[in-house]
Amino acid sequence: MGRVMAEPPENPMWKARDVLASPSHQGLERVVSDIFMGQETTEHQTAKALFHFFTINFANCLTLKLLHMYQSSSVGVHRYHLTHLLFQTLLAYKNRKFELSLLALNEIKPLLISCLRMQETPEMKLFSRIVCFVAYDVMKVGNGGWDELSECIFEISSVEPLKALHIFVDLPPMYERFIYSCFGMIVEKAKKVLLMPDQDRVEDWSLGLQAVVKLGIQHLDSVLRSDSVKSLLTLLVKAASDLVDKGMEQFLGQGLADLDRFLSREKKLYNYNKDQCDFVSVFWLKIKDLEQLTKEATGEIHGLVKSAPSLVQQPQEHGAASEREWFDRLNNLPPLEILRIFASTDVEERFRDMAIRRLNVLLSDYILREESTDPSLLRQLQPLLISCLWKKEGISESMFKVLGEVVYSVAFEMMTSHVEIWEDLGYYITSHIEKDFQRAVYIFQCLTMWLHEDFIDPIVENLLPEINKRLYPPTDVLLDNSCWVLAFLGAFCAITQLVAMQVYAGTVVDMADKMVDSVRELVQRKMEVGFVRRAFRDLEIIVKKQMEWFSNNEYILTKSLLQRLYLIEGMTMESKMVLWRINVFVDRGMADHVAA
């Protein structure tokens, strides 16, 4: 019998309404069942054509429906089929350069988390790619990140550590808070796999290797870089050396070949910068002489990441250069020229994003190395940075966050090393508090150094009333939580700056009360995960930065606030653990302060 030609179903739009708009899954279940029938049947061809129509026209709704079906299924084969269809749906959407809508993402994220928590996930590699597709869209829309995913990865790591590593390895570049929350767990699980290899499961060892390399690469792209990067390299080298000592060179060679393929894909997708390429190159240099059998694999990796010579020298040739050429060019430009590229309206967004990230690395390195930046350069950067802050178009949320870190670096150098108040920055914050609260308060919370009262006074006069309004707990869990989180963090940053000033004593007490009451109400409404825990994790990062200038007043205030939050009835242990970690750091800081 010849093949049955695929024909589109009659009135596909009506069929889509019947299948996808119905609260029942029966219609789509029938389509799925027919797809996995024999390919020669009319039912299979019709179902396949109909599913293709759904994918092209209703990917948001189809993704939601398939996830609901997966969540309610306990049959392994059925979930296997649904995994393949989910992957096909999202892959087709990505290939057409589309993103899932924000409304759909708000429903998809908790559903996907629920599916991840189900044990015995079929086709884990494929499912981790599904998570990657969704995470990429979450990062693209910049809607406050996806902290629930990091919590889920942490949670399942204790039961299914390889599953947790699979999910992490396939993720797109994530934000600082996400990497920070996963760092210790990923190292722990990967270390166990790397240092106690199963001779029959080289794929597990390869997975651990990829997880640690990816962690190092992503860690280099955050502001939390420290000796932890060296510890990752030490772990990688020890894992490779142990295999050679055990006579498992072929095992090692296969693992390195897997890493080569992994890095080839990652580099094409996410465009490693020079520091990230150097991280992999350092690993290569340390293991290249271990054994002859590793030479071919390590050579491939080194060839993948070694820097190419700069092909473009003239800054005005903005549009023609490739991304690799842009990396090379930016690495050879001074800070002011890099900022001009970011500020230019004639440069593609992806290259402007590369520029602001490169500038952030450059300036933060000056601070880490305790090198004072030339004040004349800082004065040249300041007006251009202010003009970038004032722009409403052309700067995505992710770029604005990096811009805030750059503003901090310049402000820190100017106001701490050179003792000059940046008046235009203060004016930007005060003038935008009402009309663009989220961006204004974000820039304010980026300023984690001690602020002179002449700078802080006019800001808090305008900022605190607006924070007070926005600390009222949201009523809908599906609302964007960024505003409340920023209000909470802005309140903390404000009161730590004000607590040493007697004139603000009553204001500090009132604001601390308001913060505690707001968190208590969110906990009672069962809205803790999306709002409170995210705020606590950001608070952890801020406190660690602020402690560099804390004195007795600031430590006492922070300790008191942490204790009051910790004692809120009904709060989950996960949230309390974040508060406990902050308290440990504060206790150590207080002890060091008293000793000094």
Side-chain angles (χ1 to χ4, degrees):
M1 181 183 291
R3 287 184 59 86
V4 178
M5 295 297 292
E7 297 180 1
E10 188 176 351
N11 295 322
M13 197 63 74
W14 285 99
K15 190 69 175 176
R17 188 194 66 175
D18 292 341
V19 172
L20 298 179
S22 169
S24 169
H25 299 159
Q26 286 184 349
L28 190 56
E29 288 280 15
R30 177 62 185 273
V31 174
V32 171
S33 176
D34 287 348
I35 286 174
F36 289 95
M37 289 178 64
Q39 293 188 5
E40 302 297 331
T41 65
T42 304
E43 290 86 353
H44 167 82
Q45 296 296 326
T46 302
K48 188 175 179 181
L50 184 61
F51 191 84
H52 179 71
F53 179 82
F54 292 167
T55 301
I56 296 298
N57 296 283
F58 304 103
N60 288 279
C61 187
L62 179 60
T63 302
L64 273 169
K65 202 82 170 175
L66 291 171
L67 283 171
H68 275 295
M69 289 165 59
Y70 186 100
Q71 184 186 38
S72 61
S73 175
S74 59
V75 180
V77 174
H78 187 225
R79 282 160 58 187
Y80 171 88
H81 291 161
L82 292 171
T83 300
H84 276 265
L85 293 177
L86 272 166
F87 178 77
Q88 290 173 24
T89 300
L90 292 171
L91 180 62
Y93 216 46
K94 299 306 167 195
N95 288 340
R96 295 166 62 212
K97 308 297 183 185
F98 289 165
E99 288 92 34
L100 297 166
S101 71
L102 177 58
L103 185 63
L105 283 172
N106 285 335
E107 295 186 60
I108 287 170
K109 289 194 296 182
L111 262 178
L112 195 51
I113 292 294
S114 175
C115 294
L116 278 174
R117 288 194 169 108
M118 298 170 71
Q119 293 189 9
E120 299 179 5
T121 305
E123 290 288 304
M124 190 57 233
K125 290 183 180 180
L126 213 55
F127 206 91
S128 67
R129 296 298 298 157
I130 293 168
V131 177
C132 170
F133 289 146
V134 176
Y136 181 86
D137 283 359
V138 171
M139 297 300 294
K140 190 87 172 175
V141 299
N143 188 32
W146 197 1
D147 290 344
E148 296 81 4
L149 179 60
S150 66
E151 293 162 12
C152 176
I153 295 173
F154 196 95
E155 177 185 316
I156 64 179
S157 68
S158 59
V159 182
E160 298 179 275
L162 295 179
K163 182 175 177 178
L165 293 179
H166 268 299
I167 299 167
F168 178 79
V169 158
D170 270 325
L171 288 176
M174 303 300 282
Y175 49 97
E176 177 183 314
R177 183 176 66 248
F178 191 104
I179 299 301
Y180 182 83
S181 64
C182 289
F183 190 92
M185 178 274 295
I186 295 296
V187 172
E188 177 190 346
K189 303 306 178 185
K191 184 176 182 179
K192 186 174 181 181
V193 173
L194 289 172
L195 300 185
M196 292 185 287
D198 184 335
Q199 292 192 13
D200 298 324
R201 294 190 61 84
V202 66
E203 65 274 11
D204 293 349
W205 192 88
S206 296
L207 178 64
L209 183 68
Q210 293 163 23
V212 176
V213 170
K214 178 145 188 171
L215 191 61
I217 288 168
Q218 291 226 11
H219 198 55
L220 279 167
D221 204 29
S222 78
V223 299
L224 296 173
R225 292 174 297 163
S226 63
D227 289 342
S228 54
V229 173
K230 294 180 181 177
S231 70
L232 293 178
L233 283 169
T234 301
L235 172 59
L236 290 169
V237 174
K238 177 172 173 52
S241 301
D242 285 355
L243 290 178
V244 173
D245 292 343
K246 294 174 183 176
M248 298 171 66
E249 294 89 346
Q250 188 172 357
F251 187 102
L252 173 60
Q254 187 175 339
L256 292 175
D258 290 343
L259 179 63
D260 175 26
R261 288 188 288 271
F262 170 75
L263 289 173
S264 295
R265 188 195 74 188
E266 289 274 301
K267 189 165 182 282
K268 288 176 184 176
L269 287 172
Y270 307 125
N271 301 307
Y272 291 168
N273 61 33
K274 183 178 182 300
D275 287 342
Q276 292 169 328
C277 288
D278 286 348
F279 172 80
V280 184
S281 291
V282 169
F283 169 53
W284 171 82
L285 289 169
K286 289 178 178 293
I287 68 167
K288 71 183 183 71
D289 294 324
L290 286 177
E291 185 65 34
Q292 188 64 33
L293 284 171
T294 70
K295 291 278 194 287
E296 182 178 351
T298 54
E300 291 173 352
I301 294 171
H302 186 59
L304 174 71
V305 299
K306 66 182 179 181
S307 298
S310 178
L311 301 176
V312 182
Q313 301 300 330
Q314 293 76 22
Q316 58 268 33
E317 294 178 11
H318 291 313
S322 70
E323 292 188 0
R324 179 69 260 173
E325 291 164 349
W326 270 94
F327 275 123
D328 292 331
R329 179 199 297 176
L330 291 170
N331 286 337
N332 293 299
L333 286 178
L336 185 59
E337 287 301 314
I338 297 175
L339 183 56
R340 283 175 179 157
I341 290 173
F342 173 72
S344 172
T345 57
D346 299 327
V347 180
E348 285 185 46
E349 181 177 323
R350 55 183 174 146
F351 299 140
R352 293 172 58 237
D353 183 76
M354 290 161 56
I356 195 64
R357 291 181 184 277
R358 172 58 187 161
L359 182 59
N360 184 40
V361 169
L362 204 58
L363 295 178
S364 61
D365 278 350
Y366 290 156
I367 295 175
L368 288 173
R369 293 197 299 265
E370 298 183 354
E371 296 178 5
S372 181
T373 310
D374 182 359
S376 64
L377 169 62
L378 296 173
R379 294 188 190 103
Q380 288 177 302
L381 292 172
Q382 285 178 323
L384 199 49
L385 283 170
I386 294 297
S387 72
C388 292
L389 290 174
W390 279 82
K391 287 181 182 177
K392 289 193 174 292
E393 304 295 333
I395 299 181
S396 66
E397 288 300 312
S398 60
M399 280 198 288
F400 191 83
K401 288 181 178 179
V402 182
L403 178 61
E405 294 169 11
V406 172
V407 168
Y408 160 77
S409 295
V410 174
F412 177 85
E413 286 286 301
M414 219 54 213
M415 294 199 259
T416 304
S417 301
H418 304 292
V419 199
E420 286 186 24
I421 293 176
W422 191 355
E423 293 180 356
D424 287 346
L425 179 60
Y427 177 71
Y428 165 79
I429 295 172
T430 55
S431 62
H432 280 69
I433 284 169
E434 286 192 48
K435 59 185 178 182
D436 198 354
F437 174 81
Q438 293 194 39
R439 287 199 168 191
V441 78
Y442 173 74
I443 293 298
F444 174 69
Q445 77 175 56
C446 283
L447 306 178
T448 52
M449 66 285 198
W450 176 82
L451 300 173
H452 193 280
E453 61 184 75
D454 290 344
F455 181 84
I456 193 71
D457 277 348
I459 292 178
V460 297
E461 182 179 339
N462 294 276
L463 181 65
L464 291 183
E466 294 302 317
I467 285 178
N468 221 3
K469 292 178 193 175
R470 289 166 174 82
L471 270 178
Y472 283 102
T475 56
D476 188 348
V477 73
L478 294 178
L479 291 175
D480 179 11
N481 57 22
S482 301
C483 191
W484 183 88
V485 171
L486 286 167
F488 181 86
L489 299 171
F492 177 79
C493 291
I495 62 177
T496 53
Q497 296 286 349
L498 301 177
V499 66
M501 305 181 201
Q502 187 61 38
V503 67
Y504 287 110
T507 301
V508 170
V509 172
D510 291 343
M511 189 57 66
D513 290 343
K514 178 72 175 176
M515 292 168 68
V516 175
D517 291 343
S518 185
V519 170
R520 182 182 293 112
E521 190 166 343
L522 284 169
V523 169
Q524 290 171 351
R525 292 184 191 173
K526 308 298 182 186
M527 296 169 69
E528 179 181 343
V529 173
F531 292 84
V532 175
R533 202 173 302 163
R534 179 185 165 196
F536 286 177
R537 286 191 168 134
D538 283 351
L539 180 66
E540 182 176 12
I541 295 171
I542 289 172
V543 169
K544 287 181 179 180
K545 293 176 180 177
Q546 284 188 332
M547 279 172 50
E548 293 183 5
W549 58 269
F550 271 12
S551 63
N552 205 42
N553 288 324
E554 291 77 23
Y555 277 121
I556 291 173
L557 170 67
T558 306
K559 282 280 293 181
S560 171
L561 181 63
L562 290 172
Q563 184 176 15
R564 293 175 65 191
L565 291 169
Y566 191 88
L567 293 175
I568 290 176
E569 188 174 346
M571 184 181 291
T572 63
M573 185 53 65
E574 288 85 352
S575 298
K576 289 191 173 186
M577 282 299 294
V578 181
L579 295 173
W580 177 82
R581 286 201 306 264
I582 302 172
N583 193 61
V584 169
F585 284 109
V586 171
D587 281 343
R588 289 174 184 166
M590 283 187 75
D592 293 342
H593 177 71
V594 171

